[in-house]
Amino acid sequence: KGFGNARAVRQLLESATKAAMTRIGNDFSMDQMSLMTKDVIGGDPRMTNEKLQRVLDSINEKIGWKRVKDRVKELIDLCGKSYDRELLGKPQLDIFLNRMFLGNPGTGKTSCAKLY
């Protein structure tokens, strides 16, 4: 008892090891094996997230969603700043994901919420 997170730790270590091996590439050798912070926490969310890119493409196709586009950009920038702080060993920023979608019927609230 007391090792409730052992599986999670092992999975995180395996994931970080796989990321390090990918980063090192064909020149991989156990002698050179070292984990970097970005191997553990992942890549920059502003650059490497394919799902985010698909959602941004869908949002950018919409006409008249300027405020939504601005808020999504602000949220992405905040996530990026939090990532940069984490790389430096500083506490992450608090990011609140709750949103209210208000407006008249037929203005795209549900479409926006699905993308969010």
Side-chain angles (χ1 to χ4, degrees):
K1 195 154 181 144
F3 291 99
N5 291 330
R7 180 179 294 136
V9 170
R10 190 181 94 225
Q11 289 172 344
L12 181 61
L13 184 61
E14 287 174 356
S15 174
T17 303
K18 186 184 288 186
M21 289 170 49
T22 302
R23 177 178 44 82
I24 294 170
N26 292 335
D27 299 332
F28 177 76
S29 152
M30 286 303 287
D31 299 333
Q32 299 173 341
M33 181 65 181
S34 64
L35 295 178
M36 298 177 69
T37 306
K38 67 180 180 178
D39 295 329
V40 177
I41 64 173
D44 190 334
R46 296 166 287 193
M47 308 294 243
T48 60
N49 195 326
E50 294 175 11
K51 184 176 181 180
L52 174 62
Q53 193 57 51
R54 287 193 305 269
V55 170
L56 286 175
D57 291 343
S58 297
I59 289 174
N60 287 329
E61 290 174 357
K62 305 294 183 187
I63 297 171
W65 281 21
K66 181 174 178 3
R67 288 179 58 193
V68 172
K69 293 173 188 177
D70 291 343
R71 296 301 172 266
V72 168
K73 184 176 180 346
E74 288 172 10
L75 182 60
I76 293 169
D77 290 341
L78 184 61
C79 290
K81 288 176 186 174
S82 184
Y83 175 80
D84 292 339
R85 289 176 58 89
E86 190 174 10
L87 283 178
L88 296 173
K90 296 180 180 178
Q92 296 179 32
L93 300 172
D94 291 331
I95 299 174
F96 301 101
L97 299 178
N98 297 334
R99 299 288 185 262
M100 289 181 68
F101 298 95
L102 305 171
N104 293 328
T107 57
K109 298 180 300 291
T110 303
S111 299
C112 184
K114 287 178 182 177
L115 290 172
Y116 182 74

